[in-house]
Amino acid sequence: MVIYGQKLDKQEEEDGSKYRVHIDRVRFDLYAHSTMNELLWRMIMNRMAKNLVKFLSCAALSLMVWNTTIADVINDLNSFVEKSNQQLTKDLPGAFLFKHGFYVNQSFTRFDPGSSSNSGHTVIEECGGNFDGSDYEEQHPATARLITFQLGTWTWVKIVLNNARPDTLYTAWLRIKAKDREGNSFGGSPLTNGGATPLSPGTALDSLGQISPWNNAGSSNLVNGFMTNSDGNGSLIVNLDFPLHGGRYPFNEISSEALENIRALQNPSAKAIPVAIVNPNDDNIDAPFTIRIVSHCQDGLGHGLSPGNRETWFDWPPM
């Protein structure tokens, strides 16, 4: 069991010293196996992920825990795992749970609203409001949070956005291109040659290709997209069929027909091969982000495998 990101703040109160423990990442080694139907197995895993997230967020193990120690946290989590195993084997005899689990609950870093995205557009210019940088922040105190639960080759992801631009389409992107210690580039999408790909399961590649610029004018209904409400709040939940942390994006899951479509209309050298996900916090890796949240204030549409014209709002991991 490994607990990451402990931040201990000592505070004095009338009844003595108390400590706050902030936990933003938890990794644990567990095991999973089943001979059951894959769809049913994924449903069970999805339920377990939601239960663990609720558990880690409750009073017994919240992100701000008073009068506790790391040992208490580990004991509580071990108890949860044991109870989960008991419930799973009761529901599904012969199955056993968990392998290389990883839980993350962290804030995104806010991108400067006056800085240009890779398409050359800024939040201030394209998303409304005649504000300079400081006034814009007062008018739009937006925040975003990432919650993930990774289990073997599967990851449950939730992104929560608050106080952003109302009634706006946002999409999430996964970085797969970086530079090594000598400045040499590596990675990138083998389909489009871009530096990022939609935060989506590999099984969604065909449908994303259908609404990409070479096939379609775009869509507001995307697996990696969500709309904010009238208050500027929104959320995205995605079930990924690969490990987000330390894994590879499965471009090999694209169909032969969709691959040939990309070769004919966009990139003749497109390949269906997996590519490593990059993390700027890893040693000797130069990358701007792992996950990026962008808005589409100009046309209100997403463009499949291409981010299109967009405005950058948030990056993760926090820098």
Side-chain angles (χ1 to χ4, degrees), residues 6-285:
Q6 302 102 278
K7 299 177 182 177
L8 306 181
D9 299 323
K10 185 176 181 180
Q11 297 188 6
E12 298 290 337
E13 294 194 359
E14 293 181 359
D15 56 348
S17 297
K18 291 191 175 184
Y19 294 85
R20 181 178 65 183
V21 180
H22 178 79
I23 301 167
D24 56 15
R25 291 184 295 152
V26 179
R27 182 179 67 79
F28 42 94
D29 295 325
L30 307 159
Y31 297 90
H33 173 73
S34 177
T35 57
M36 61 187 294
N37 177 274
E38 181 179 359
L39 178 60
L40 183 56
W41 177 247
R42 286 186 179 275
M43 290 174 62
I44 295 296
M45 292 298 97
N46 188 55
R47 184 185 70 185
M48 296 304 304
K50 291 181 179 179
N51 287 343
L52 180 59
V53 170
K54 290 179 181 178
F55 174 79
L56 293 173
S57 300
C58 74
L61 186 59
S62 67
L63 295 179
M64 291 184 180
V65 183
W66 292 95
N67 284 339
T68 189
T69 66
I70 296 301
D72 293 330
V73 171
I74 293 173
N75 289 335
D76 287 346
L77 192 54
N78 282 333
S79 296
F80 172 82
V81 170
E82 179 61 28
K83 291 178 181 178
S84 298
N85 275 322
Q86 292 175 0
Q87 183 62 45
L88 182 66
T89 54
K90 178 181 178 181
D91 294 344
L92 304 168
F96 57 96
L97 177 66
F98 295 149
K99 181 175 183 180
H100 304 309
F102 202 95
Y103 168 80
V104 168
N105 189 327
Q106 288 183 324
S107 296
F108 281 78
T109 297
R110 178 73 184 272
F111 201 78
D112 183 344
S115 297
S116 296
S117 68
N118 288 344
S119 65
H121 304 95
T122 71
V123 170
I124 291 178
E125 292 175 349
E126 306 296 342
C127 297
N130 296 318
F131 312 111
D132 62 26
S134 60
D135 289 339
Y136 195 94
E137 288 300 308
E138 293 178 4
Q139 295 289 333
H140 300 272
T143 60
R145 193 158 196 89
L146 175 72
I147 303 171
T148 73
F149 175 75
Q150 182 170 302
L151 185 64
T153 59
W154 172 85
T155 312
W156 181 86
V157 178
K158 182 175 184 179
I159 293 173
V160 180
L161 185 61
N162 293 115
N163 298 316
R165 187 176 188 263
D167 304 312
T168 300
L169 176 67
Y170 286 80
T171 55
W173 296 81
L174 187 63
R175 187 72 182 182
I176 49 175
K177 187 174 184 178
K179 293 182 180 180
D180 63 18
R181 70 180 75 191
E182 298 175 348
N184 301 308
S185 294
F186 66 90
S189 170
L191 302 180
T192 66
N193 293 326
T197 197
L199 182 66
S200 65
T203 52
L205 288 170
D206 283 21
S207 60
L208 288 166
Q210 292 172 5
I211 57 173
S212 295
W214 50 91
N215 284 323
N216 192 286
S219 173
S220 60
N221 184 19
L222 304 99
V223 66
N224 66 316
F226 62 99
M227 293 289 297
T228 52
N229 61 18
S230 59
D231 294 321
N233 302 326
S235 63
L236 171 70
I237 294 179
V238 185
N239 289 310
L240 303 177
D241 52 0
F242 56 89
L244 174 63
H245 308 285
R248 302 176 299 171
Y249 191 89
F251 289 101
N252 50 294
E253 292 190 18
I254 192 170
S255 69
S256 298
E257 293 79 9
L259 180 62
E260 289 305 318
N261 173 263
I262 294 174
R263 287 174 174 171
L265 300 178
Q266 171 63 17
N267 179 16
S269 61
K271 299 179 178 64
I273 56 175
V275 176
I277 299 163
V278 300
N279 187 326
N281 288 342
D282 290 342
D283 292 339
N284 304 310
I285 297 296

